[in-house]
Amino acid sequence: MNYGCIGEHLGHSFSPEIHRLIGRYEYELREVPKNGLDAFMRARNFRGINVTIPYKQAVIPCLDRISDAAAGIGAVNTVVNRNGFLWGYNTDFGGMQALIRRMRLDLSGRKVLILGTGGTSQTASAVARNLGAAEILRVSRRKTDGVITYDEAITFHTDADVLINTTPCGMYPSTGECPIDPSRFEHLSGVVDAVFNPLSSRLVLKARELGIPAAGGLYMLVSQAVAAAELFTGAPCEPDAAERIYGQLLRQKRNLVLIGMPGSGKTSAGRKAAELLSRPLVDLDEVITARAGKPIPAIFSQDGEAVFRRIEGDVVREVASQNGLVIATGGGCVLHVENVENLRMNGRLIFLDRPLCDLVPTADRPLADSMKKIEWLYKARHKVYQTVTDVTVPVTGDIDDTAAATVKAFCEE
């Protein structure tokens, strides 16, 4: 391996794609067990590596030199092999600082709670100090010197201004987890989560629901990778490299999620949109049918709507954790909060708003097989669609026009 990333579990990593977009070298992932770290580092069979959980501190004794900044932080995430000598650096510092500045989040004079005690936590503490935080508290499940517990945080420190999560809590595949409830803190001006997969963690989504500015760790990941590439090669990247690569990766990874009434054209427009974007279409109703081994009307008649909704929830959870899809949902999917949260973690929700007069009943939709049912559903659901959507696309033309408008709305953010 010339260039790559080492860690214990790397199935969630976006790093190869980021370094491919940087475009200077081949980049690999290498999972290293804890009992294999010393041997890997002693072999020195690489030119440059990134280091991730859980080795940002454990790697330090294996190095010949360490930058002053990394030494001050106490964590290394980038190692360069220079003629057999291993040099350690911390590019996470610049990455996290770039993310916070991009959010326009002011830490000066603020009280900051940092969740976690690992290497990224130490980096976040250094960033907070550098940005002028008045008080910095690290939070963990167990109390140690200089570290408070989560119970203490929500009992004695609800006046915190900023939360920074540096734990893997909420990272794929455990996307349903949230390290702390942001509603317990009445004065939050911002939430930063180092988790980048999913694009918006449960913590980020909960903060946004409260009207608190919040961002996941993708921009941090890209920024630190650009800085690492410069150390690997000794040559600067273009000034806007991080912004360019972040935009490209976000567009590639984000799902286009179509919501709306039965008969609004979600599957047909979704199929055309998928063609325009060169990505797969996943029709959730088709997946549910395959999972149940019977058509949806049969699920309703034989098992009941509750069983259908349970299968639907399982399917949404699995599909929404993937990236780069066009997803056509069932008409009632977003009536359930958990489904909306799961779809939002990696997706942009687009409401196809077809007028009531253009909706047609069909026999394969048990809840919309008559005009009377459609009228009732429209009255009950239309405001819900408007509430949960990120953008509305009126359906007034043919499918090609709707698909083109959908793709435009998806890509414009």
Side-chain angles (χ1 to χ4, degrees):
M1 177 171 71
N2 284 328
Y3 300 99
C5 178
I6 66 167
E8 190 172 23
H9 304 291
L10 299 175
H12 63 279
S13 178
F14 292 168
S15 291
E17 293 156 279
I18 295 172
H19 286 270
R20 186 159 54 246
L21 291 170
I22 294 172
R24 295 186 173 188
Y25 39 72
E26 294 295 322
Y27 189 93
E28 305 175 36
L29 298 179
R30 181 72 58 85
E31 291 190 347
V32 177
K34 289 180 180 177
N35 61 5
L37 179 64
D38 287 343
F40 176 87
M41 296 303 294
R42 280 198 306 272
R44 305 186 178 212
N45 191 23
F46 58 84
R47 298 179 66 180
I49 57 171
N50 290 125
V51 181
T52 190
I53 296 172
Y55 300 136
K56 293 183 180 183
Q57 295 161 297
V59 77
I60 292 175
C62 304
L63 305 177
D64 300 299
R65 303 282 190 278
I66 182 171
S67 71
D68 291 342
I73 294 168
V76 164
N77 78 306
T78 300
V79 178
V80 180
N81 186 341
R82 295 195 177 101
N83 299 317
F85 288 88
L86 301 185
W87 291 69
Y89 301 90
N90 188 304
T91 62
D92 279 341
F93 179 94
M96 179 166 285
Q97 186 160 270
L99 170 60
I100 291 171
R101 285 178 169 163
R102 190 176 191 273
M103 294 174 64
R104 295 183 173 84
L105 181 58
D106 183 11
L107 270 59
S108 179
R110 304 298 178 90
K111 183 174 186 174
V112 179
L113 296 188
I114 297 173
L115 312 183
T117 56
T120 307
S121 169
Q122 293 180 233
T123 300
S125 297
V127 169
R129 284 194 299 271
N130 190 59
L131 294 178
E135 186 176 2
I136 302 167
L137 296 170
R138 297 167 73 197
V139 186
S140 182
R141 286 171 293 182
R142 287 176 293 195
K143 185 176 179 64
T144 58
D145 289 343
V147 177
I148 64 172
T149 66
Y150 283 90
D151 285 342
E152 288 175 317
I154 60 177
T155 301
F156 304 112
H157 301 286
T158 55
D159 59 339
D161 299 293
V162 176
L163 292 179
I164 302 177
N165 178 45
T166 69
T167 76
C169 184
M171 178 75 83
Y172 176 86
S174 301
T175 55
E177 298 178 356
C178 184
I180 203 165
D181 182 358
S183 69
R184 304 296 293 269
F185 303 89
E186 300 176 357
H187 306 289
L188 285 181
S189 58
V191 171
V192 181
D193 195 343
V195 168
F196 57 85
N197 183 5
L199 301 173
S200 298
S201 66
R202 201 69 98 191
L203 174 62
V204 168
L205 291 175
K206 286 180 180 294
R208 289 175 181 167
E209 288 170 6
L210 296 168
I212 301 165
L218 185 61
Y219 191 81
M220 173 185 170
L221 181 69
V222 171
S223 294
Q224 70 79 25
V226 170
E230 294 178 337
L231 290 169
F232 290 164
T233 63
C237 295
E238 67 271 26
D240 67 342
E243 198 68 38
R244 171 182 61 80
I245 293 168
Y246 171 75
Q248 287 180 262
L249 194 65
L250 185 62
R251 286 189 293 273
Q252 291 173 13
K253 293 294 183 182
R254 180 180 281 158
N255 295 326
L256 190 167
V257 181
L258 294 171
I259 67 172
M261 283 286 293
S264 60
K266 298 185 296 293
T267 299
S268 300
R271 187 173 294 110
K272 291 284 186 180
E275 292 174 4
L276 292 171
L277 292 168
S278 298
R279 55 172 64 189
L281 169 71
V282 177
D283 185 321
L284 296 184
D285 282 351
E286 290 182 359
V287 180
I288 292 167
T289 297
R291 181 74 54 88
K294 63 182 77 172
I296 289 175
I299 302 174
F300 270 78
S301 63
Q302 298 172 17
D303 307 308
E305 183 176 357
V307 170
F308 172 83
R309 295 301 174 194
R310 185 168 65 249
I311 299 171
E312 180 182 57
D314 292 341
V315 168
V316 167
R317 191 178 308 110
E318 294 168 18
V319 172
S321 68
Q322 301 173 46
N323 299 105
L325 304 175
V326 175
I327 301 173
T329 67
C333 178
V334 296
L335 302 181
H336 301 270
V337 173
E338 185 178 356
N339 289 341
V340 175
E341 290 180 347
N342 284 326
L343 290 166
R344 275 192 169 145
M345 285 192 294
N346 284 318
R348 183 161 166 77
L349 275 60
I350 297 180
F351 170 31
L352 296 188
D353 190 7
R354 184 183 291 274
L356 175 60
C357 60
D358 291 340
L359 297 173
V360 179
T362 58
D364 62 339
R365 299 184 177 103
L367 298 181
D369 57 6
S370 71
M371 200 61 214
K372 184 177 181 179
K373 288 182 179 180
I374 287 178
E375 290 171 354
W376 185 89
L377 287 178
Y378 190 90
K379 183 177 181 181
R381 293 179 178 179
H382 195 266
K383 287 185 178 179
V384 177
Y385 297 139
Q386 290 177 316
T387 299
V388 303
T389 190
D390 294 307
V391 62
T392 298
V393 172
V395 182
T396 56
D398 61 19
I399 290 299
D400 288 340
D401 291 339
T402 300
T406 298
V407 170
K408 185 173 185 290
F410 177 70
C411 296
E412 273 185 345
E413 186 187 26

